[in-house]
Structure formats: structure tokens, C-alpha cells
Amino acid sequence: MPLSNALQVLGGVGLFLFGIKLMSDALQDLAGDRMRQLVGSLTSTPVRGVLIGTLVTVLIQSSSGTTIMTVSFVHAGLMTLKQAVGVIMGANIGTTVIAQVIAFKIKNFALPVIGIGMLFAVFGKSKRQKYIGNGLVGFGLLFLGMQTMEGAMDFLQGRKDLFMMFSRNPLLGVLVGTLVTMVVQASSATIGLTIAMASQGLLSLDAAVPILLGDNIGTTITAVIASLGSNRSAKQAAAAHVMFNVIGVVIFMTILPIFKTVISMTSSDIARQLANAHTLFNVTNTLIFLPFTSVFVKLIQAIVPGKSSAINVGPQFLDPKLVTASPAAAIDAIKKEISHMGAIALSMLQDVKNAFVNDDPKMIDQVNESEKILNELTHAIAKYSAEIWQESISSELSVVLSAYVNGISDIERVGDHCQNLIELYDYKVEHRLTFSPVAMQEFQDMFNTVFRSVTLSLESVAEEDVSKAHEVIDVLEVEVDRKEKTLRKSHIRRLNRGECNPSAGVIFIDILSNLERIGDHAHNLSFIALDIAKTHR
């Protein structure tokens, strides 16, 4: 191939992939926070996993991106291997949409579509109009790339004999499709190139179908790379993706003549035939595997043995691969990490109560260690959030991310006040101070209200539950403030009557003050939940 033609093919592939990326970004921007909710939803059944995997892949236009997300979710313990298998099947179906789109004969409209898209992108008055414009530009570039690739291969019209080997040796076609896709790590590009060559008459249906089957094996390299350095569960998910496609290709290679006959009956146009072959392979393969999902999972666990478990040290959900694969999924990972932080904060509060009520000094070290973990998580989430902001995210996702960043600060402050409380307990023990039975009862009463407030506020953020947020803001916050004032006055009266030790009295008032401030942070968290809920309207 002459150098000029090679560069033209390379440029065509570049335009094609850039068009897909522009379309992907525009679709994700238009989906906004709904995309975050979609990728964050756990898949209770393999069938639902297939649907979620298909929808996410259609939105991000990348089965590799979906499988990276899936591997990351399994790595973090957010998804079981069985759930992941369903999503992987759906991702394979979703990626066939691009092949169906490029099979349409609308290449001559590529430039007008790009022109219309640019008008929207540059002169659009709303963000939605600009997103639509970017999507149209991407759509046009997709076809311009196809046109460029086809034009670059005109000189091969007289050398069709070079491609006859793929017709005579289907295994060679599978190998070529696998290797090329592994190198470019984008099955859509290989499929686009294959369709372009077939449209120019360089590849027959007999030669092109095995290459398409190989594309499906080659695309699994991305999941394998994503699992490197991850835990055993993530490696099992990557192995599931590889085995699903390899077994599927083996099945279809055994019935290749029948498969090609069926495909040839679906259309008279070879571009559409190849798009249909890609779709039919992935849909049929999914239908074959779905009834045997549990058996398939056991097979994968036998091939890659090891217990599936979540990570227990440090951040559990902040997988850096998610940031580029899907910022929406990365933001949902932050949501999960905030719940993790919240669970630690609640355990610290419970430890504080155990220290005072059960007079347990062991709680001192426990609370201090937990506070260090909260600080580490706060820094990790802040850094992770900064990386997400470097990506292109929609205004809705930006609002959600800002809310979460504010939320981690409030949870971290709850931990700080817990540490203040345990220091007061330490002082009480060191100086052998005691609280009266009335003071202890008042402490538990105040503590229980604050604990419920923090619990509900964390649930309101995790579940995006407006009713729980309003209960904290409208009811519990008022009750916490009222109790703090009432109990403070009550304790001062006891001090004036000489019914308690002055030093113990000062500590008790400090305890009330810290509990009241914890209630304030619960109040802030609930407002964050309301801000996030507004993005759904």
C-alpha cells in the first residue's frame, strides 16, 4: 500500500473514532445525571444486567468502556460475578449499534450534517442545543471517516486476489480480526474498516464474516488490561468476557456455512449483511448463554479460582479506570465511597456512646484510628473528584459532584467531633470524674437524637431520599437545637445547686456542644441530598 493511501486510511480511522467519541460525549451530556443513576444501579438478575449493559454501551458507544466499568464494579465488590456476566453480554449487543448505523448509505450527507451540527454547537443558546450540535458533528465525522477509508482503498480494486486467502481460510480471518482489534483496542474501528473494504468489493461475505468474529475476541483485551493489578474478582470478570466471546466464536465457526447463508438472506447489500452478522452473532450468543449463566460463572471460578470479595483497606470504590471510561460511573463510585465514610462515622459515634455509657477505655484508640481512616478517605475522594473535573462532564453531573465534595467535608467534621468527644471521655477517666445518673440519661437522650439525625442524613444522600432529608431538616435539627439549649440550662442549674462536680459539669457542656455541631453537619448533608434530587427534575 502506498504511503499516501496508508496515511489516508489512518486518517479515516481517526475521523471515525473521533466521531464516535463526540457522539458518546454528547449522548452522555444529554443523559446527564440519569446516566449516573443507570451505571450505578446494581443488576439483580442476568436479564436485567443484559438490558443495563446494552443501554450503557449504546450511550457511551464503547463495549470496552462498559466492560472496564464492570470490572471496576466487581473489583470494588459493588457487583457479583453473575451480575457482571449479564452486563458483559449486554455490552456486546450494545456495541453492534454502530455497525448498523454505518451500514446506512448516507455518506454523501456527512458534510451537511457536520455543518448543521457546527451551527448548533457554536450558536446554540442552550447547553442542550450545543450537546445536540456536538452529537451531529460526531455523527457526520463517523461517515466522513468511512468515506475516507473507502476512498483510500480504491487502488486495491485490481488486487482482489490478495484477500482471497480469507475466503479459503476462515481461521486466518478470525486471527486477523482478533489481532487488529487487540492493537487498536476498538472493535468499532475494525468493523468499520471491514465494512469499508467489503463495500469496495475487496472482501466477500465469506472473507469478512470470520474477521468480524475475530473482532469480538480482540475487543476483550481491554477488559484483560483493566483487570491487571486488580483483585481476583476483577480477573474473573475479565475472564468471563474473554470466554463468552471465544466460546461464541467457536460455536459459530462450526456452523459458519449456515450462518453465512442466513446472513446473505437478510439483505442484498454487503454492508448491511455484515452489520446484521455482527448483531446476530452477539444477540444469539447472549441467548445461548443466558439460561446457563450460573453454570458459566462456576466455570469461570474454576478457571480463575479465588474468593470474590470487596476491598477492605482504604478507598473501596475509587477505581481510577472509571474516570476515563465513564465520569458518570466515577461519580457514582464517589457516592458509594461517601456511604463507606458515613458507615465509619456512625461506628465512631457508637464507639463514643460505648465509651461513656459502658465506661470502656478501649474505645479511645478505636475512635482515633477511625478518624485517621476518615481523613485518608477525604483526601482520596478530593483527589479523585479533581481528576473527574478534568474530564468533560455535563452541568448536572458537575452539580452532583460538587454536592458530594461538600458532603465529604461534613462527614469528616463529624469524625472530628467524635474525636473531640473521645478526648473529653479520656479527660474524664484520667481525672476520675463521674456524671450523675440524670446527666447520663440526658447524654443518652441527646446522643440518640443526634445519631438518628446523622443516620437519616446519610441515608438521604445514599438513597437520594427527599423525605428523609426533610425529616432531618424540619424535625430533627429543631429537636437537637432545642435539647442542647434545654439540657445546657438544666445542667447549669445543677451546677449552681452544687449537685455535680464543676469539672465534670464543664465536660458535660462541651459534650452537648459537640453533639449539637454534629447535628448541624447532618443538617448540611440533608441539604446536599435535596440539591442532588433537584438534578432529576
Side-chain angles (χ1 to χ4, degrees):
M1 181 184 290
L3 179 61
S4 60
N5 291 86
L7 291 174
Q8 195 173 346
V9 170
L10 184 62
V13 172
L15 283 172
F16 183 85
L17 290 176
F18 186 60
I20 290 177
K21 185 179 187 307
L22 273 180
M23 283 177 60
S24 168
D25 291 344
L27 284 169
Q28 292 190 64
D29 287 336
L30 285 168
D33 193 49
R34 290 183 294 276
M35 176 67 177
R36 179 185 64 84
Q37 292 178 302
L38 180 63
V39 297
S41 61
L42 288 179
T43 51
S44 54
T45 65
V47 174
R48 189 177 175 206
V50 170
L51 294 174
I52 294 293
T54 302
L55 286 172
V56 170
T57 305
V58 168
L59 279 174
I60 70 174
Q61 292 299 308
S62 171
S63 61
S64 298
T66 304
T67 52
I68 287 173
M69 278 186 261
T70 304
V71 168
S72 298
F73 286 156
V74 174
H75 173 66
L78 287 173
M79 190 180 285
T80 66
L81 181 59
K82 187 174 182 179
Q83 291 170 330
V85 167
V87 176
I88 288 168
M89 293 176 187
N92 280 23
I93 294 174
T95 196
T96 66
V97 171
I98 279 293
Q100 291 292 343
V101 169
I102 61 179
F104 286 104
K105 300 296 183 181
I106 54 176
K107 294 187 291 293
N108 293 334
F109 298 99
L111 290 176
V113 169
I114 292 173
I116 294 169
M118 282 301 297
L119 289 175
F120 275 98
V122 175
F123 299 107
K125 294 182 179 179
S126 67
K127 288 186 177 180
R128 181 178 178 81
Q129 289 176 348
K130 291 180 183 295
Y131 296 153
I132 291 172
N134 288 337
L136 287 173
V137 170
F139 188 71
L141 288 176
L142 186 99
F143 287 99
L144 188 61
M146 284 293 297
Q147 199 172 36
T148 304
M149 284 189 279
E150 289 180 12
M153 290 180 286
D154 276 342
F155 78 101
L156 290 171
Q157 288 290 345
R159 297 301 313 274
K160 295 180 183 180
D161 56 300
L162 294 173
F163 304 97
M164 290 299 293
M165 67 182 95
F166 297 128
S167 299
R168 293 192 295 266
N169 191 344
L171 286 177
L172 182 61
V174 172
L175 180 62
V176 168
T178 300
L179 292 177
V180 172
T181 307
M182 280 184 173
V183 171
V184 300
Q185 291 189 36
S187 61
S188 295
T190 314
I191 291 165
L193 189 59
T194 304
I195 291 177
M197 294 175 71
S199 298
Q200 289 293 87
L202 301 175
L203 288 176
S204 65
L205 183 65
D206 289 340
V209 168
I211 296 175
L212 284 184
L213 294 177
D215 293 340
N216 286 278
I217 297 176
T219 194
T220 64
I221 188 65
T222 312
V224 173
I225 293 172
S227 70
L228 297 177
S230 299
N231 62 11
R232 187 67 61 179
S233 301
K235 289 180 172 63
Q236 289 175 340
H241 191 205
V242 174
M243 291 303 297
F244 173 72
N245 283 5
V246 168
I247 293 172
V249 169
V250 170
I251 292 172
F252 275 76
M253 285 296 288
T254 60
I255 58 168
L256 191 57
I258 300 172
F259 182 50
K260 287 187 292 190
T261 300
V262 172
I263 292 304
S264 64
M265 296 168 60
T266 62
S267 175
S268 58
D269 175 49
I270 191 167
R272 180 63 60 196
Q273 287 174 345
L274 293 179
N276 292 343
H278 190 38
T279 301
L280 188 60
F281 166 75
N282 285 291
V283 171
T284 305
N285 201 28
T286 296
L287 293 175
I288 291 171
F289 271 82
L290 260 180
F292 307 103
T293 302
S294 297
V295 176
F296 182 58
V297 167
K298 289 179 182 177
L299 172 64
I300 297 302
Q301 290 171 335
I303 295 172
V304 186
K307 185 179 179 182
S308 299
S309 60
I311 307 165
N312 294 317
V313 179
Q316 292 188 9
F317 312 112
L318 306 184
D319 193 319
K321 301 182 189 75
L322 288 178
V323 176
T324 52
S326 173
I331 291 172
D332 201 72
I334 288 179
K335 176 183 175 181
K336 299 294 191 301
E337 203 64 65
I338 285 175
S339 294
H340 176 210
M341 283 186 69
I344 295 171
L346 287 174
S347 72
M348 291 176 72
L349 275 169
Q350 194 61 54
D351 289 343
V352 166
K353 182 179 180 181
N354 289 337
F356 280 102
V357 175
N358 302 325
D359 197 17
D360 187 353
K362 294 194 296 294
M363 296 295 104
I364 297 173
D365 289 339
Q366 202 158 302
V367 169
N368 287 329
E369 285 302 313
S370 295
E371 208 276 332
K372 290 178 184 176
I373 294 172
L374 273 189
N375 287 339
E376 290 172 4
L377 289 175
T378 300
H379 295 146
I381 295 174
K383 181 181 177 183
Y384 194 74
S385 301
E387 292 173 0
I388 296 173
W389 259 309
Q390 297 301 313
E391 301 294 320
S392 175
I393 60 175
S394 66
S395 57
E396 292 89 348
L397 288 178
S398 183
V399 169
V400 173
L401 183 56
S402 297
Y404 285 152
V405 170
N406 290 333
I408 62 171
S409 176
D410 282 297
I411 297 173
E412 197 260 345
R413 290 295 294 147
V414 169
D416 289 343
H417 288 298
C418 286
Q419 191 172 40
N420 292 344
L421 288 166
I422 209 68
E423 287 173 357
L424 291 172
Y425 168 76
D426 192 16
Y427 182 89
K428 173 178 172 290
V429 171
E430 185 181 351
H431 292 82
R432 299 181 180 180
L433 302 174
T434 58
F435 290 158
S436 67
V438 174
M440 283 305 301
Q441 182 58 48
E442 289 177 345
F443 164 77
Q444 292 189 63
D445 184 32
M446 177 75 168
F447 179 91
N448 290 339
T449 304
V450 170
F451 189 85
R452 175 166 172 73
S453 184
V454 174
T455 302
L456 282 180
S457 66
L458 289 169
E459 289 176 358
S460 72
V461 173
E463 301 166 13
E464 299 178 16
D465 191 318
V466 173
S467 62
K468 289 182 178 180
H470 277 299
E471 184 175 349
V472 174
I473 295 167
D474 302 332
V475 180
L476 292 174
E477 169 67 7
V478 176
E479 190 173 345
V480 168
D481 289 343
R482 181 185 60 78
K483 284 186 176 181
E484 193 274 337
K485 292 174 183 176
T486 302
L487 297 181
R488 180 186 291 269
K489 290 178 182 178
S490 175
H491 196 69
I492 290 173
R493 284 196 296 269
R494 287 199 299 274
L495 278 171
N496 291 335
R497 293 195 297 265
E499 295 176 3
C500 61
N501 183 290
S503 296
V506 171
I507 290 175
F508 189 81
I509 289 174
D510 280 347
I511 289 171
L512 294 178
S513 179
N514 275 280
L515 288 174
E516 192 265 340
R517 286 170 189 163
I518 290 173
D520 289 341
H521 292 297
H523 180 261
N524 294 344
L525 281 168
S526 297
F527 269 114
I528 286 168
L530 293 181
D531 288 340
I532 294 171
K534 289 177 184 176
T535 63
H536 305 328
R537 296 175 186 172

